[in-house]
Amino acid sequence: MPGFELFGKEERQQVEKVLDTGVLMRYGFDGMRDGHWKAKELEEALSQRMQVNHAHVVSSGTAALTIALASAGVGAGDEVIMPTFTFVASFESILALGAVPILVDVDDTLTLNPNAVENAITPKTKVVMPVHMCGSMADLDALQQICKKHGLLLLEDACQAIGGSYKGKPLGSIGNLGCFSFDYVKTVTCGEGGALITDNGEYYENAQKYSDHGHDHIGNDRGAESHPFLGYNFRISELNAAVGCAQIQRLDEFLGIQEKNYNMLREALSSVERVTFRRVPDGGVENYSFLNFFLPTEEMARRTHKALLDAGVDSCFYWYDNNWHYYRKWEHLTNQKTLGKLSQEVLHGLQDFNKVDFSVSDHWVGRNISCLIKLGWTENEVSERADTMVRILKSL
Ligand SMILES: *Cc1c(COP(=O)(O)O)cnc(C)c1O
């Protein structure tokens, strides 16, 4: 997955252009910048590649999620449905706005289960936020139907699945809003960065103002701009955006490498009885950033994961025990450990985590192993890795 593996000449050239002028900020300084607008350039490349009207690039994927929610008017006490298996950024972005994260089970797609989503809807629900974890997507048709039926927004977190598609459309472009991360370990990196995409002109206008203190971005005198509503600072710097300009041009090259490596590993593992693969919804194409498979029991999955590590097969994850990606270890959320007080809306709105039953999620995530697909592997390395994995899986 990580674009940093293939970091080089193109990235350096883009950054040099910014350094030549010294204009490190994405707004203003028109006279000094010698025509370089890297954040804007990246936005144009993204909106083209993702086939949407608007893209807005910001400081991180977490910021993009926060801004996406804010741009659609999500605020205090609104409920946002999110999966039990995701990165902590999901609930961070929701809580940042005083909204309430509602955790819901995942299924064999390792993403939101549409039935569980429908059961979690209340009069306070405003958004359904599927997270396309580890390169593959939620059942977006089913989720879209639920959202239409109940008048909810669909916000796709495609931070780990950039370049994947569903029924011919890029992931992120299908919901009302979609988000990407360009942090250092993502398929396309800016060092730090993120983006939201949408076809909705109003959300876009809100997003670009909100992420820059509410600046209306009219005219070319920043100091004279008005502030139609309260905002914040989630700007990306031109240096980071410049790296992204080079990386986004290489997205399809990266996907091609990932697909080839993924297919070699998958083909090898298919020969192992009792290994099954994650379900990809009909019409979905993964971005091949991870290969995900299930063992028959939790105990076998844990044992396999350990044996893989012991044999030097790195970059395989057992998310069930992971501190950051599964609800079981989110005690800072479930015990409400915060520096300051949470609002009453959030305190009252959070689920009772002593009572909620996520055994369906446990059933799937507890038996799953996720192998990161690297860009820098040689064909020999992939085939050796495949042999080792098959040997270990068969011996257990
Ligand atoms: C990385 C990631 C984010 C957050 O992105 P940052 O740029 O690190 O803030 C959000 N959601 C998912 C699923 C991610 O993997």
Side-chain angles (χ1 to χ4, degrees):
M1 168 155 93
F4 73 71
E5 289 182 90
L6 299 183
F7 191 93
K9 180 169 102 264
E10 292 90 340
E11 287 76 5
R12 179 188 301 273
Q13 279 171 355
Q14 286 285 355
V15 172
E16 270 171 9
K17 286 183 188 165
V18 176
L19 292 176
D20 284 345
T21 66
V23 180
L24 310 187
M25 183 171 175
R26 70 160 300 174
Y27 296 114
F29 303 94
D30 300 27
M32 286 167 63
R33 58 196 316 141
D34 197 21
H36 294 313
W37 300 88
K38 293 302 167 192
K40 279 189 191 164
E41 224 176 89
L42 179 53
E43 285 161 356
E44 267 158 39
L46 255 182
S47 56
Q48 262 195 19
R49 175 62 179 78
M50 300 305 163
Q51 302 164 27
V52 288
N53 293 339
H54 308 285
H56 183 57
V57 173
V58 293
S59 53
S60 72
T62 312
L65 290 166
T66 308
I67 297 160
L69 292 168
S71 76
V74 172
D78 292 333
E79 291 180 358
V80 179
I81 291 176
M82 56 164 274
T84 52
F85 176 48
T86 175
F87 182 55
V88 292
S90 302
F91 59 77
E92 290 169 352
S93 63
I94 299 165
L95 289 169
L97 296 167
V100 183
I102 300 294
L103 273 52
V104 159
D105 270 327
V106 297
D107 57 23
D108 57 344
T109 65
L110 296 175
T111 65
L112 276 181
N113 175 321
N115 289 331
V117 167
E118 192 144 33
N119 290 336
I121 292 171
T122 75
K124 289 186 177 164
T125 309
K126 213 152 179 189
V127 180
V128 176
M129 188 201 281
V131 182
H132 306 317
M133 281 300 277
C134 306
S136 184
M137 77 285 333
D139 184 341
L140 288 164
D141 271 355
L143 292 178
Q144 214 157 26
Q145 268 174 23
I146 291 169
C147 287
K148 283 210 175 104
K149 182 170 150 198
H150 297 272
L152 308 174
L153 292 169
L154 185 63
L155 164 55
E156 292 175 76
D157 177 341
C159 291
Q160 292 192 12
I162 189 168
S165 66
Y166 180 75
K167 304 204 167 164
K169 294 177 103 181
L171 295 180
S173 74
I174 294 146
N176 304 83
L177 289 143
C179 291
F180 301 109
S181 164
F182 305 130
D183 78 22
Y184 189 53
V185 296
K186 296 303 202 287
T187 306
V188 164
T189 185
C190 289
E192 299 285 357
L196 65 89
I197 59 173
T198 183
D199 280 328
N200 184 306
E202 189 188 338
Y203 296 162
Y204 168 71
E205 284 300 322
N206 287 346
Q208 50 116 334
K209 294 178 177 73
Y210 183 78
S211 58
D212 183 26
H213 305 292
H215 270 275
D216 67 13
H217 298 146
I218 294 172
N220 53 9
D221 177 359
R222 255 180 91 72
E225 288 180 22
S226 77
H227 28 66
F229 48 75
L230 291 170
Y232 213 81
N233 178 3
F234 291 116
R235 293 190 304 260
I236 191 168
S237 89
E238 286 284 278
L239 286 172
N240 294 89
V243 174
C245 287
Q247 288 253 309
I248 193 75
Q249 298 305 332
R250 308 180 72 181
L251 172 60
D252 291 303
E253 172 197 344
F254 292 173
L255 295 175
I257 298 169
Q258 285 180 174
E259 181 176 3
K260 184 162 158 273
N261 293 347
Y262 170 110
N263 282 334
M264 278 175 73
L265 290 180
R266 179 163 177 147
E267 210 164 290
L269 296 200
S270 302
S271 70
V272 185
E273 238 182 293
R274 300 206 287 173
V275 164
T276 54
F277 295 96
R278 158 210 217 151
R279 180 168 63 85
V280 177
D282 284 346
V285 178
E286 298 180 66
N287 87 338
Y288 306 104
S289 54
F290 287 84
L291 175 65
N292 290 273
F293 55 93
F294 300 109
L295 277 298
T297 66
E298 183 185 317
E299 192 266 331
M300 282 176 83
R302 236 192 216 108
R303 218 153 25 99
T304 304
H305 179 242
K306 184 169 182 310
L308 288 170
L309 283 183
D310 291 347
V313 180
D314 62 349
S315 314
C316 287
F317 300 93
Y318 182 58
W319 299 118
Y320 192 64
D321 289 342
N322 182 283
N323 277 344
W324 295 92
H325 293 80
Y326 196 51
Y327 81 94
R328 294 201 318 144
K329 295 286 179 76
W330 295 340
E331 81 288 342
H332 57 331
L333 171 69
T334 54
N335 296 335
Q336 288 113 54
K337 292 191 196 167
T338 52
L339 291 176
K341 280 186 199 161
L342 281 172
S343 75
Q344 288 302 309
E345 272 111 338
V346 171
L347 280 173
H348 290 146
L350 285 174
Q351 289 149 295
D352 181 346
F353 291 103
N354 294 314
K355 289 203 183 121
V356 279
D357 173 14
F358 293 131
S359 52
V360 176
S361 301
D362 293 343
H363 173 77
W364 293 110
V365 179
R367 296 183 301 113
N368 176 253
I369 292 176
S370 239
C371 293
L372 181 70
I373 304 294
K374 290 206 178 158
L375 297 168
W377 288 334
T378 62
E379 195 167 323
N380 231 359
E381 283 170 326
V382 183
S383 105
E384 271 172 27
R385 168 173 290 259
D387 291 346
T388 313
M389 289 177 78
V390 168
R391 181 171 50 74
I392 287 168
L393 282 159
K394 286 192 169 159
S395 74
L396 290 160

